[in-house]
Amino acid sequence: MNASLPDVAAQTAPLRLLIAAPRGFCAGVDRAIEIVERALQRFGAPVYVRHEIVHNRFVVDGLKAKGAIFVEELDQVPDGAPVVFSAHGVPKVVPQDATARGLDWLDATCPLVSKVHRQAERQVEAGRHILFVGHKGHPEVIGTMGQVPEGTITLVETVNDVAKLPFGTDKPLAFLTQTTLSVDDTAEIVAALRAKFPQITGPKAEDICYATSNRQEAVKAIAAECDLLLVIGAPNSSNSLRLVEVAERMGTRSRLIQRANEIDPEWLDGVNTLGLTAGASAPEVLVREVVAKIGELRPVSEETVTTAEEKMVFKLPRQLLD
Ligand code: SF4
């Protein structure tokens, strides 16, 4: 009889739920969503949006319900229709084409991504070849590489890529980075670039944005205590994927989920402390949905662990302020 007491206690003890802060929406995502909402008010539906405004299906479906139409390319936007470019940024040719067609366009590119675009232009104007640290195929990478002429920028994804770069130490070089990378991986790649090319110039810190680095720090603060960490985010959300990696690198099992209904109750077997966070494009309502779902499966004692306060707000485009 006594032998079964610890098992009963283990089953009825509340699950300790550590919720990371900061988590979820960043200032760039808030701004991008507001741009689409204000465009809908100003122009009326439909408003076209080139690419998912932010990488979150819940957000995209909410805007679709209000009259936004999501397309992948500008040629899918009919003449005369308003169009918004997503938070990830677009190659330079996209606004040029939109202007040439006389479209009303609004740019929801995050100002921190636009800053990297301007740096890319300046480096090429100064005669330097850019080594751009990022993930192939991500829309932000396509957008940033599309700011400068072909042949003036090379993508670098790993330390191994650095070893293969064909440039000498006399070639004028600069590095820039995607905003949503792993802070630790990027530091290694930048160190390899600086070691191989002592002449390379670059930003004082890499271009990883405040929201990406704060969310990674917050995960680092709780992961060691957690038996499992859930990250709410989309499979194509770079900053969300990096949060999973950060936890796993610390030896903590981690799962990326988009909604509460993806939680398999078996995941909680043997879990005493569960961590929870959300990528920069996941709204807080999805965090509460997940907390409620976990509460249905186990009694929960909830704690928020805060590692930074965020007060960043970005201005809206001038066209929406008149
Ligand atoms: S994750 Fe960073 S770069 Fe991306 S939209 Fe948010 S603040 Fe901007």
Side-chain angles (χ1 to χ4, degrees), residues 217-289:
E217 274 308 305
V219 164
K220 284 181 186 170
I222 61 169
E225 288 187 67
C226 299
D227 304 302
L228 171 70
L229 179 104
L230 298 179
V231 177
I232 304 171
N236 57 346
S237 160
S238 173
N239 81 87
S240 304
L241 293 169
R242 305 294 82 81
L243 296 176
V244 172
E245 285 171 8
V246 165
E248 287 187 335
R249 235 176 245 184
M250 291 178 69
T252 302
R253 194 160 51 102
S254 183
R255 301 268 184 175
L256 183 72
I257 53 169
Q258 302 206 64
R259 296 294 295 263
N261 60 10
E262 292 173 25
I263 297 172
D264 180 342
E266 285 186 6
W267 293 351
L268 301 185
D269 288 351
V271 171
N272 296 318
T273 302
L274 176 68
L276 179 61
T277 188
S281 39
E284 185 63 13
V285 64
L286 298 184
V287 175
R288 297 322 305 173
E289 181 190 85

Side-chain angles (χ1 to χ4, degrees), residues 26-29 87 110-113 140 179-180 209-212 239 280 314:
C26 59
V29 163
C110 175
L112 300 182
V113 174
E140 182 186 330
T179 58
T180 51
C209 76
Y210 79 98
T212 297
N239 81 87
F314 295 133

Side-chain angles (χ1 to χ4, degrees), residues 152-234:
T152 60
I153 188 164
T154 303
L155 183 65
V156 175
E157 293 190 272
T158 62
V159 170
N160 276 346
D161 287 352
V162 176
K164 291 184 212 146
L165 289 167
F167 308 110
T169 51
D170 53 348
K171 171 93 173 166
L173 294 172
F175 76 86
L176 296 172
T177 80
Q178 190 179 336
T179 58
T180 51
L181 298 177
S182 149
V183 171
D184 297 335
D185 284 353
T186 307
E188 279 177 29
I189 296 171
V190 169
L193 286 172
R194 288 194 189 282
K196 182 164 176 176
F197 306 112
Q199 80 279 25
I200 201 166
T201 65
K204 278 195 204 90
E206 69 290 314
D207 305 300
I208 296 172
C209 76
Y210 79 98
T212 297
S213 41
N214 283 350
R215 280 149 193 69
Q216 289 177 22
E217 274 308 305
V219 164
K220 284 181 186 170
I222 61 169
E225 288 187 67
C226 299
D227 304 302
L228 171 70
L229 179 104
L230 298 179
V231 177
I232 304 171

Side-chain angles (χ1 to χ4, degrees), residues 50-84:
R50 185 188 176 280
H51 194 67
E52 287 186 330
I53 185 75
V54 299
H55 286 155
N56 187 278
R57 200 188 305 158
F58 181 86
V59 171
V60 166
D61 287 347
L63 292 171
K64 271 186 194 166
K66 292 179 184 173
I69 295 178
F70 289 84
V71 295
E72 280 309 308
E73 291 303 338
L74 208 56
D75 57 17
Q76 295 166 271
V77 179
D79 286 341
V83 59
V84 179

